[in-house]
Amino acid sequence: MSRFAAVSFSIVWLLVFSTGNLRGAERPREQPQTIRIAYVSPVTTMAPIWIASEIGAYQREGLDAKIIYIDAKIAIAALVAGEVDTVVISAPSVIPPVLSGANIAFIAGLHNKMIFSFHAQPDIQSPAQLRGKIVGTNRPGTPADYGNRVALAKMGLKPTDVQLMPLGSSGVMWQAPQTRQIAGVTLAPPSSFRADAEKFSRLVDTYDKPYQNTGVVVRRDRIQPMADTWLRLLRALRQANLRFYEDPKLAMFVLKKYTQQADPDVLQKTYDFESNPPGFTRDLKVSDTGLQGILDFLSTTVRPEAAKASPKDFYDTTILDRLEK
């Protein structure tokens, strides 16, 4: 080998060795933490989990968030079985399982506003005209079922005064009155505003009732082991809740994309409804009065044992306490 070739070989070897050492000395990039987030209905109150995705909040917190749409009737069972890590869901779906022994809890509240209104066929102008007729609902224990029972009570009716028909998801509940399969149904935005636009009779709303709407629900035995993951998740969702009010155009874009609502007037009404007063929480706290309102109602209707329960039986502040520091 010539002297020139030997020197060239030495330089190349030195560069390769040095580059390898430099790369080895670099701090390896942390792998994103995968988290499976389930939601149960494509409605407005789920907006934070979608906004967090759109603005890159999960990625900034080092999370690889898998957003999963799951049927409400199996959501809690899937959480308990470990098939998902967390469910974003409302308290009426959480309280009965906890009363029955499920080891789950809210670690944060995302929305604390009652959103249901009762809509009937255009020719039905009073609650009295509903007696004996078919009213659409969801299965017992779901938020829609709870909203329906509260709406009937406000109209001076009992569930036995009408024929309750469990329909399923919010989409099916909105389709049923359009095809005249039912006399009335309880709806949430944006479907409720579409019902107004199509001249269905709005007989009552439930907006004055205290309520714990959507929140982050996890298994209690995973709160401490996954504390860092939950802290990252809540930071991302807090960013999303703030952006809902700071950026109306983004909020309505997200609602249009995920709820499949294209009518700009309905989208604006939905945003205005959530803004006056605000429904999405800025501090992510769970509402004691909202939980107590649901417990009071359930104790006098379908779950008498709810009378002995306390709101604090249904949430854990461990992660929120860390978030506030």
Side-chain angles (χ1 to χ4, degrees):
M1 182 183 294
S2 69
R3 181 179 178 184
F4 176 79
V7 171
S8 298
F9 178 82
S10 298
I11 292 172
V12 170
W13 180 85
L14 181 60
L15 287 172
V16 171
F17 179 80
S18 300
T19 302
N21 278 352
L22 285 172
R23 286 176 180 168
E26 288 177 358
R27 183 180 178 181
R29 293 188 64 181
E30 183 180 350
Q31 290 297 314
Q33 176 71 46
T34 299
I35 182 171
R36 299 162 299 173
I37 306 169
Y39 72 99
V40 298
S41 186
V43 295
T44 306
T45 53
M46 302 295 170
I49 61 174
W50 303 326
I51 292 176
S53 181
E54 295 290 331
I55 67 175
Y58 297 125
Q59 294 91 328
R60 283 194 295 274
E61 293 296 336
L63 296 176
D64 176 18
K66 307 296 186 185
I67 310 299
I68 304 165
Y69 181 26
I70 191 170
D71 195 312
K73 67 176 178 286
I74 64 170
I76 298 301
L79 175 64
V80 171
E83 295 172 2
V84 296
D85 298 306
T86 180
V87 176
V88 175
I89 200 166
S90 303
S93 292
V94 177
I95 289 176
V98 173
L99 292 174
S100 297
N103 194 31
I104 59 174
F106 284 103
I107 59 169
L110 298 179
H111 191 281
N112 60 9
K113 184 176 181 179
M114 192 70 150
I115 59 173
F116 299 107
S117 50
F118 191 95
H119 301 260
Q121 295 294 340
D123 57 326
I124 297 176
Q125 297 293 315
S126 71
Q129 292 176 277
L130 286 172
R131 291 184 180 276
K133 293 185 171 63
I134 298 174
V135 167
T137 186
N138 206 334
R139 68 183 183 84
T142 59
D145 171 67
Y146 173 73
N148 187 62
R149 290 173 183 274
V150 173
L152 289 173
K154 286 194 70 174
M155 291 187 289
L157 298 172
K158 298 187 291 293
T160 53
D161 292 329
V162 297
Q163 300 179 54
L164 292 178
M165 176 185 288
L167 298 173
S169 69
S170 58
V172 176
M173 291 177 68
W174 168 227
Q175 292 169 6
Q178 293 176 290
T179 55
R180 299 192 69 85
Q181 298 176 52
I182 58 175
V185 67
T186 301
L187 300 172
S191 297
S192 55
F193 296 120
R194 293 179 65 185
D196 292 336
E198 296 186 24
K199 308 303 181 184
F200 285 90
S201 299
R202 179 185 282 246
L203 297 184
V204 74
D205 65 54
T206 62
Y207 304 157
D208 60 317
K209 297 297 183 181
Y211 191 52
Q212 175 55 57
N213 208 313
T214 50
V216 181
V217 181
V218 304
R219 282 172 31 182
R220 284 186 180 272
D221 63 349
R222 301 185 76 191
I223 293 176
Q224 289 294 350
M226 293 183 63
D228 183 62
T229 301
W230 302 134
L231 185 61
R232 296 183 192 188
L233 176 61
L234 295 196
R235 282 199 296 250
L237 293 175
R238 183 170 61 179
Q239 292 175 48
N241 269 16
L242 294 174
R243 283 293 291 274
F244 186 90
Y245 296 111
E246 293 169 352
D247 194 340
K249 287 185 179 179
L250 171 66
M252 285 190 279
F253 165 79
V254 167
L255 293 179
K256 178 180 179 180
K257 178 178 178 179
Y258 290 92
T259 69
Q260 299 296 302
Q261 173 53 251
D263 187 324
D265 183 56
V266 170
L267 287 170
Q268 186 64 57
K269 286 181 177 178
T270 302
Y271 183 80
D272 291 344
F273 169 76
E274 289 296 351
S275 304
N276 301 296
F280 293 106
T281 62
R282 297 174 186 271
D283 57 12
L284 302 190
K285 290 184 178 179
V286 176
S287 170
D288 281 89
T289 56
L291 287 171
Q292 188 61 59
I294 300 169
L295 288 171
D296 291 343
F297 186 86
L298 292 178
S299 69
T300 60
T301 53
V302 293
R303 297 300 294 259
E305 69 271 32
K308 298 179 181 179
S310 164
K312 290 180 173 53
D313 297 335
F314 303 93
Y315 64 86
D316 185 298
T317 65
T318 300
I319 311 302
L320 273 183
D321 291 343
R322 287 183 58 185
L323 185 68
E324 293 175 353
K325 292 180 180 179

